[in-house]
Amino acid sequence: MILPLMGYTPNPQGTEAFLRTLVHPTLATAGPNLALDETRDVFLGHALLAVDPTWKRGAQQIGSCVGHAWAGGCTMLSALDITIRNEPESYGGRVLEASVYGFARVEIGNNGQPNRGGDGSYGAAAAKGCTLFGNLHIGQSYDGKVFTESTGRLESDWGRNGVPDFLEPYAAQHKVSSAVLVTDFEGAAAAIQNAYPVPVCSGQGFSMTMREGALAPMGRWSHAMLFCGLRWKPEPALYCLNSWGECYGGSVDKTLPPAFQKSGGWVDAATCTRMLSGEDSFAISGYSGFAPRKLPDWLGGVI
C-alpha cells in the first residue's frame, strides 16, 4: 500500500533571504534569451535512463520530499550535462536524498545547529544547500563508507543532526552552480526545454488515478516534486515526478519510459502556474560532476 508522505514547510522569509543573495534570482534575468518552442516536446528522463538504465524512482519513508525532489533534480541534471551538453564528466550515481535533506534542514535551515522540529524543509533551503554544500551519491566510497540507499532512518538522523562533518568535503566536490526562481508554466517549460529540471514545492494535491498519464488536481498536499518533461498536446502540460515510488493507478502514458509511467504524470499548464506561483520552485543548472571517462554518444544529440 502506498502511504503518501509529504513534508514541505514553506518559509517565505527564508526564501526571500536566499533570493536576495542571488545576482540573477529569477529565470527572466538569468536566462532572458531562453527560447520556448511551442511545437517541441521534451522528456528529461531519457537522459537519466541513458546513463543509468536501471534507475527506478524510490519511495520516501519520512517527510523528506524536499530532499527527494531536489536529489532527483540534481541526478537528472548531472545526466543532462553529460548527454546533452557534452560536458567531460562521468555519471557518479544517484544523488543521496539524505544529503540534500540534511543540508537543507540543519546547515541551511537551522544555522548548522541540530533541528528537532519534526520533518520537512522548503525549496530555497535545498537550493542553497545544493549550491553551497553540494551533494553525496549512492555507490561512492567516502573514506570507506558507501551508501547503498537513502533510508528513512538515515534521512531522519541527518535531518536532525546534519550531514556528518567528515562527509562535507566530499559533498563540496559536487555542487549545483545555479538555482533561479521559476513562477509560471512558461518559465518552467522554457527551462525544461533547455534541459534544466525544476524542483517544485507547493500545496497542490492530485488524484492518485491517472487518465492516459494525466493527473487531475484534487485536494491539498504540502509537498515537493520535480517537473522534468513538457508536452503541448492534447493540452500544454509538464510531467511531474513524485517521490512515492510507482504510486499512481489508472491508465498510463505509454509513450513514457516504463520507469516513469506510474511514478509521475502530466499536469496542465494552469495547475502548474498555480503550483509555481508560491515562489519556492527553482530551475537548476551547472552540476559539478565526476572525473571524465570516454563517453559514448548517449542520445545522438536528441533529448
Side-chain angles (χ1 to χ4, degrees):
M1 182 181 72
I2 300 297
L3 179 62
L5 290 166
M6 301 168 200
Y8 170 48
T9 55
N11 184 338
Q13 293 78 19
T15 299
E16 179 60 31
F18 172 64
L19 293 174
R20 287 197 298 268
T21 69
L22 302 180
V23 176
H24 299 292
T26 67
L27 187 68
T29 58
N33 298 317
L34 284 185
L36 180 58
D37 181 349
E38 296 187 5
T39 66
R40 187 165 72 92
D41 296 348
V42 298
F43 185 68
L44 304 185
H46 289 308
L48 177 54
L49 293 177
V51 300
D52 190 353
T54 64
W55 178 89
K56 184 178 180 180
R57 188 59 162 165
Q60 65 184 92
Q61 298 171 355
I62 66 167
S64 54
C65 59
V66 171
H68 282 254
W70 275 82
C74 291
T75 303
M76 197 167 286
L77 178 61
S78 72
L80 289 160
D81 283 351
I82 294 167
T83 59
I84 303 303
R85 285 178 273 274
N86 297 313
E87 296 182 8
E89 300 174 354
S90 62
Y91 180 68
R94 195 174 96 221
V95 169
L96 182 68
E97 290 86 352
S99 66
V100 180
Y101 187 59
F103 285 137
R105 275 182 54 86
V106 177
E107 279 78 7
I108 302 302
N110 212 41
N111 297 314
Q113 299 301 308
N115 189 334
R116 310 298 186 193
D119 294 334
S121 187
Y122 60 102
K128 191 172 182 179
C130 288
T131 54
L132 290 184
F133 286 90
N135 296 146
L136 300 171
H137 295 75
I138 288 172
Q140 295 293 322
S141 177
Y142 302 115
D143 198 22
K145 179 67 174 178
V146 179
F147 298 95
T148 59
E149 193 56 66
S150 187
T151 65
R153 179 177 293 182
L154 183 65
E155 291 165 11
S156 181
D157 179 12
W158 289 8
R160 284 155 176 73
N161 302 308
V163 177
D165 290 347
F166 87 92
L167 292 171
E168 289 192 9
Y170 295 105
Q173 298 174 37
H174 305 291
K175 298 178 181 180
V176 172
S177 67
S178 177
V180 297
L181 188 68
V182 178
T183 59
D184 57 24
F185 168 82
E186 290 77 14
I192 291 166
Q193 207 170 63
N194 286 276
Y196 303 119
V198 181
V200 53
C201 293
S202 84
Q204 179 65 58
F206 294 91
S207 168
M208 299 305 295
T209 302
M210 298 187 294
R211 172 178 281 185
E212 296 183 352
L215 294 173
M218 180 181 297
R220 288 192 58 80
W221 295 348
S222 294
H223 196 34
M225 295 181 282
L226 177 67
F227 285 145
C228 57
L230 165 67
R231 72 178 187 185
W232 294 101
K233 294 180 179 180
E235 62 180 353
L238 301 179
Y239 175 86
C240 189
L241 180 64
N242 208 333
S243 52
W244 299 340
E246 295 190 340
C247 57
Y248 293 106
S251 56
V252 303
D253 179 354
K254 294 182 179 179
T255 68
L256 292 173
F260 290 91
Q261 288 179 3
K262 294 183 178 181
S263 57
W266 296 101
V267 176
D268 69 88
T271 302
C272 290
T273 291
R274 188 160 60 246
M275 295 169 72
L276 294 161
S277 67
E279 298 193 356
D280 200 17
S281 304
F282 298 82
I284 54 176
S285 65
Y287 199 75
S288 298
F290 288 76
R293 297 191 299 262
K294 183 176 176 58
L295 301 175
D297 182 8
W298 296 104
L299 298 177
V302 178
I303 294 181

